[in-house]
């Protein structure tokens, strides 16, 4: 995962991020976590795996109990497969944080999944077979084909025939899908020939300028909305799209971002302040969603 994922920020736990059960690549054996605390915070670390035969108990390069460092530090957790069998292992890392007193405890559960594979042991040749093979005399010209050789050639022929049949089936399916795509394109082109100037009864609302669904609805003011027909999206040029969005666009200088309300891997939701365009002295509470 090529992204930064914060579990605790400004003393607030991100339960949405903790709900992810991330998959670890099989070649990755170490996890690194960065942490620090502004005041005295004691911790207790523990691990659990659902299949001890496939993975050994995780090991950390820090003690399992102590105090969270005051400066930004990184600790490592080692995840080592045993190599005994093929299995997907679920790992649970639990971090208990105690602030000021023993009653104020925060429990963080980090869930991970990793595929472990069985190690293949190399074949060891017995010395007796080498001695017997050195004494045997083999005539490649007059020797008749063995049963294993005939089976090998038959298997190769059957595999070639199966591959040939699969290739023919895929080619037929590809031609059929191409004809279907051309038919769909011709139908969509004919239905979208009217352009954006003519309204349609079946419309989809793509952009809104009001607050999210969980906010209190505003009934004293009507906000503009933009409606675009489904079949007309292919015919919209960049200049036409800018002209349509111009009515509901808001200048970036009028928005001030505040606290982070929710955070995901590819987006955040902020609490912000919007300055009125006509009267800069007036402000409005808004929600802002950003996407990477």
């Amino acid at each position: 995962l090529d992204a930064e994922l914060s579990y605790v920020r400004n003393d607030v736990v991100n339960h949405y991020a903790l709900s992810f059960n991330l998959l670890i690549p099989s070649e990755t054996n170490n996890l690194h976590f960065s942490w620090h605390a502004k005041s005295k915070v004691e911790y207790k670390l523990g691990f659990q795996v659902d299949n001890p035969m496939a993975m050994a108990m995780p090991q950390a390069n820090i003690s399992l109990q102590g105090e969270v460092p005051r400066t930004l530090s990184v600790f490592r957790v080692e995840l080592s497969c045993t190599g005994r069998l093929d299995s997907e292992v679920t790992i649970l890392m639990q971090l208990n944080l105690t602030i000021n007193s023993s009653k104020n405890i925060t429990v963080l559960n980090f869930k991970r999944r990793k595929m472990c594979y069985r190690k293949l042991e190399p074949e060891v040749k017995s010395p007796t077979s080498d001695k017997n093979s050195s004494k045997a005399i083999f005539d490649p010209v007059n020797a008749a084909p063995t049963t294993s050789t005939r089976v090998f050639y038959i298997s190769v022929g059957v595999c070639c025939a199966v591959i040939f049949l699969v290739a023919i089936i895929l080619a037929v399916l590809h031609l059929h899908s191409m004809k279907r795509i051309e038919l769909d394109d011709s139908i969509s082109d004919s239905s979208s020939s009217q352009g954006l100037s003519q309204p349609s009864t079946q419309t989809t609302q793509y952009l809104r300028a009001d607050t999210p669904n969980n906010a209190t609805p505003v009934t004293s003011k009507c906000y503009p909305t933009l409606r675009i027909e489904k079949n007309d999206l292919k015919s919209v040029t960049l200049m036409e799209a800018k002209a349509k969005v111009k009515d509901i666009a808001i200048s970036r200088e009028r928005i001030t971002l505040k606290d982070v309300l929710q955070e995901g891997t590819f987006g955040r939701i902020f609490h912000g302040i919007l300055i009125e365009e006509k009267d800069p002295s007036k402000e409005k509470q808004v929600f802002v969603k950003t996407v990477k």
Side-chain angles (χ1 to χ4, degrees):
L1 183 65
D2 189 11
E4 179 181 345
L5 194 60
S6 299
Y7 293 104
V8 180
R9 172 179 287 151
N10 297 328
D11 300 334
V12 178
V13 179
N14 190 347
H15 296 282
Y16 181 71
L18 287 171
S19 64
F20 287 128
N21 190 358
L22 298 180
L23 178 63
I24 304 174
S26 58
E27 65 272 10
T28 300
N29 296 322
N30 294 316
L31 298 179
H32 296 85
F33 296 88
S34 59
W35 63 342
H36 77 284
K38 298 178 182 179
S39 59
K40 183 178 180 181
V41 178
E42 297 180 355
Y43 75 89
K44 188 175 182 181
L45 188 62
F47 300 97
Q48 182 180 352
V49 293
D50 64 342
N51 193 346
M53 293 294 295
M55 175 178 290
M57 191 62 64
Q59 300 292 330
N61 64 339
I62 59 174
S63 59
L64 297 181
Q65 189 172 359
E67 184 178 345
V68 179
R70 303 295 178 88
T71 59
L72 186 62
S73 306
V74 178
F75 68 90
R76 183 182 70 253
V77 176
E78 183 178 353
L79 306 176
S80 300
C81 296
T82 60
R84 297 178 182 177
L85 69 160
D86 298 340
S87 176
E88 182 181 81
V89 183
T90 301
I91 307 105
L92 176 64
M93 184 179 80
Q94 187 176 85
L95 182 64
N96 296 340
L97 302 175
T98 305
I99 304 174
N100 297 330
S101 63
S102 60
K103 296 182 179 179
N104 190 0
I105 300 177
T106 301
V107 181
L108 303 179
N109 292 319
F110 306 91
K111 301 175 183 178
R112 296 293 186 271
R113 293 179 295 124
K114 182 180 179 181
M115 281 299 303
C116 290
Y117 299 100
R118 184 171 59 89
K119 294 181 179 179
L120 299 178
E121 298 180 358
E123 296 182 358
V124 180
K125 295 183 178 180
S126 60
T128 56
S129 60
D130 296 336
K131 293 179 181 180
N132 295 332
S133 60
S134 62
K135 295 180 181 179
I137 300 175
F138 179 71
D139 187 1
V141 178
N142 299 323
T146 60
T147 304
S148 60
T149 304
R150 290 194 296 267
V151 171
F152 172 75
Y153 285 120
I154 293 174
S155 301
V156 171
V158 172
C159 291
C160 292
V162 171
I163 293 173
F164 182 71
L165 291 176
V166 171
I168 293 177
I169 294 173
L170 290 177
V172 173
L173 293 177
H174 178 69
L175 292 176
H176 181 70
S177 62
M178 290 298 293
K179 292 180 180 179
R180 187 173 182 180
I181 291 174
E182 291 177 358
L183 180 60
D184 293 341
D185 290 341
S186 62
I187 295 175
S188 62
D189 292 339
S190 62
S191 62
S192 62
S193 61
Q194 296 178 357
L196 290 174
S197 60
Q198 297 182 1
S200 175
T201 57
Q202 297 180 353
T203 59
T204 301
Q205 181 172 330
Y206 287 92
L207 297 175
R208 290 182 61 88
D210 53 359
T211 56
N213 295 332
N214 57 357
T216 305
V218 179
T219 58
S220 61
K221 182 183 288 186
C222 295
Y223 292 91
T225 58
L226 174 63
R227 295 179 178 270
I228 301 177
E229 296 184 22
K230 294 180 180 179
N231 296 330
D232 289 339
L233 291 177
K234 297 180 180 179
S235 61
V236 176
T237 62
L238 181 60
M239 297 302 295
E240 292 173 347
K242 288 183 176 181
K244 288 287 182 182
V245 180
K246 184 178 180 181
D247 296 335
I248 64 173
I250 298 176
S251 176
R252 178 64 178 87
E253 288 75 11
R254 294 172 53 198
I255 300 176
T256 302
L257 299 180
K258 294 295 184 180
D259 300 332
V260 179
L261 302 181
Q262 286 190 357
E263 179 178 0
T265 305
F266 303 107
R268 294 178 180 177
I269 296 180
F270 291 86
H271 171 248
I273 296 177
L274 175 64
I275 300 176
E276 292 289 346
E277 185 175 9
K278 297 181 180 180
D279 189 359
S281 62
K282 295 183 178 180
E283 297 179 350
K284 181 190 298 182
Q285 305 292 327
V286 295
F287 297 96
V288 181
K289 181 175 182 180
T290 62
V291 179
K292 292 184 182 179

